[in-house]
Amino acid sequence: MANDRLRALEEVENQIATILQCAGNIVLELSKDKHNASFLDRQLSQFTGSVNRVETELSSQIRYLTQVATGQPHEGSTYSARKDCQMALNRAEYARVKLGELGRTCEVMLDPQP
Amino acid sequence: MANQRALPQSKESLLQNYNKRLKDDIRSILDNLTEIIKTAKVEDETQVSRATQAEQDHYEMHVRAANIVRAGESLMKLVSDLKQFLILNDFPSVNEAISLQNQQLRSLQEECDKKLTSLRDEIAIDLYELEEEYYSSSYGQWDSSDLPLCEAYRRWDSWASPDRGATSGSAQGVEEDTDGPASQETTPKHGTITAADKP
């Protein structure tokens, strides 16, 4: 859920870049002696569409934040679960080390050096 | 120093500020581009000379283009602030991310412990068999004076069988320090395990 909203904001950033790109192309085309009308129309419609999308999306995000934000810091944590998992992995590693030592001891006992 | 530090804005004022910035920047982009397009139109009649008018138009377009770029950059900053605000204050998604992470960590921990438990059970079975083999061989003989009673009874029970006579020369740990009559006894009695304990 959070990733979707962050991805939407990433897309808004791309749209803002598109807005500036289209504005630059329009000004560049107007600077020429002979203008390409269809190119200008395309760029202008793309510019207008991007501006509308940016405004709509950002307004929607601000509206959502108005509803869910409390102003208080979030005090949730994954520390205890992470610690328990880390201890379990330590137990498994310890068992692995001990079994390794046992295996080496058995090999030494079964295959004595000449 | 503490008096000079600005107080944190409330949530509502912050979001209103975001709204205002959004409206202002969008309005700035649209207005400035509109004015650039209007200025690009060549007027036949001008109040000043063509050169002066051209210079003025050039300067105006320069400024308006810079305004468009500034507004675009301000919008990018707004998006960055919104991302930060979202990460810190979007409690539903933060709660979901925390619970998902907790669930993943707990399942990993349970799987780890389950595998360790099954490993322990397998090793316990093998250890039991190895112990049986070891303590029934000549290498596993204990001094009967140090032997705990329960261990002595357990081994006595395991040896109280017809095969005991065939193994009398090897598996005689309990009877090691006892004389002949102790080896002939078939049932253990309290205090009769060693010669020193005989009445």
Side-chain angles (χ1 to χ4, degrees):
Chain A
M1 200 162 70
N3 287 340
D4 294 339
R5 296 196 172 271
L6 288 173
R7 258 188 232 115
L9 287 174
E10 290 275 334
E11 183 59 30
V12 165
E13 285 181 340
N14 293 336
Q15 292 289 323
I16 293 170
T18 305
I19 288 172
L20 294 179
Q21 181 77 28
C22 290
N25 288 340
I26 288 170
V27 171
L28 198 63
E29 189 65 23
L30 286 174
S31 69
K32 295 177 182 172
D33 291 333
K34 204 166 182 189
H35 310 148
N36 188 344
S38 62
F39 177 77
L40 276 174
D41 286 338
R42 276 200 309 275
Q43 290 294 308
L44 200 58
S45 62
Q46 192 174 359
F47 171 86
T48 313
S50 296
V51 166
N52 288 335
R53 274 194 291 273
V54 164
E55 190 171 10
T56 307
E57 183 61 36
L58 288 181
S59 297
S60 153
Q61 296 279 353
I62 293 173
R63 213 165 27 246
Y64 171 77
L65 285 171
T66 309
Q67 292 168 0
V68 302
T70 63
Q72 301 297 325
H74 195 282
E75 295 182 3
S77 166
T78 59
Y79 178 75
S80 66
R82 192 176 292 275
K83 197 70 186 172
D84 291 340
C85 184
Q86 190 180 355
M87 296 305 292
L89 291 173
N90 285 347
R91 284 194 291 274
E93 179 63 23
Y94 181 75
R96 190 186 68 81
V97 165
K98 285 297 179 188
L99 284 174
E101 288 176 7
L102 180 65
R104 280 192 291 275
T105 306
C106 290
E107 281 176 9
V108 166
M109 296 296 288
L110 292 174
D111 187 16
Q113 295 192 2
Chain B
M1 187 64 75
N3 294 332
Q4 296 175 4
R5 191 170 53 213
L7 291 173
Q9 282 179 306
S10 68
K11 172 202 69 163
E12 292 83 8
S13 64
L14 196 59
L15 290 169
Q16 281 172 8
N17 176 260
Y18 287 161
N19 254 328
K20 183 175 179 307
R21 280 163 63 182
L22 171 65
K23 297 279 186 297
D24 289 347
D25 291 336
I26 294 291
R27 175 61 48 198
S28 172
I29 290 176
L30 287 173
D31 289 347
N32 280 289
L33 187 66
T34 306
E35 290 301 319
I36 286 177
I37 294 174
K38 281 183 188 171
T39 310
K41 184 181 175 184
V42 177
E43 298 284 342
D44 291 332
E45 296 177 2
T46 56
Q47 291 181 353
V48 294
S49 68
R50 260 185 195 273
T52 310
Q53 188 64 41
E55 196 61 34
Q56 179 188 339
D57 292 344
H58 173 258
Y59 179 70
E60 184 180 344
M61 284 189 186
H62 222 83
V63 169
R64 291 196 184 279
N67 282 341
I68 290 175
V69 171
R70 186 204 56 76
E73 203 158 326
S74 174
L75 271 179
M76 297 291 261
K77 178 73 168 64
L78 174 64
V79 170
S80 170
D81 292 344
L82 277 176
K83 278 185 188 174
Q84 182 177 331
F85 196 90
L86 195 71
I87 289 168
L88 292 175
N89 294 287
D90 186 8
F91 280 14
S93 59
V94 170
N95 289 338
E96 186 184 343
I98 287 176
S99 63
L100 185 67
Q101 184 79 344
N102 278 342
Q103 189 181 348
Q104 286 174 349
L105 289 169
R106 283 204 190 96
S107 67
L108 179 60
Q109 179 209 340
E110 281 168 8
E111 187 184 344
C112 218
D113 285 341
K114 193 171 76 171
K115 286 188 177 166
L116 276 176
T117 306
S118 67
L119 183 67
R120 181 204 67 185
D121 293 339
E122 287 176 19
I123 291 178
I125 292 171
D126 293 337
L127 186 62
Y128 181 81
E129 292 174 2
L130 287 170
E131 278 182 341
E132 286 288 309
E133 186 64 33
Y134 176 73
Y135 288 121
S136 61
S137 69
S138 60
Y139 296 103
Q141 302 308 312
W142 288 6
D143 184 3
S144 60
S145 62
D146 296 332
L147 195 66
L149 190 61
C150 58
E151 180 65 22
Y153 270 90
R154 192 187 71 79
R155 295 173 68 183
W156 193 277
D157 286 339
S158 66
W159 291 343
S161 65
D163 296 335
R164 189 160 156 264
T167 60
S168 61
S170 59
Q172 300 299 323
V174 174
E175 296 85 11
E176 240 182 15
D177 294 336
T178 60
D179 297 335
S183 64
Q184 294 171 1
E185 291 174 355
T186 58
T187 57
K189 295 179 186 170
H190 285 286
T192 59
I193 300 301
T194 63
D197 292 334
K198 282 187 179 176

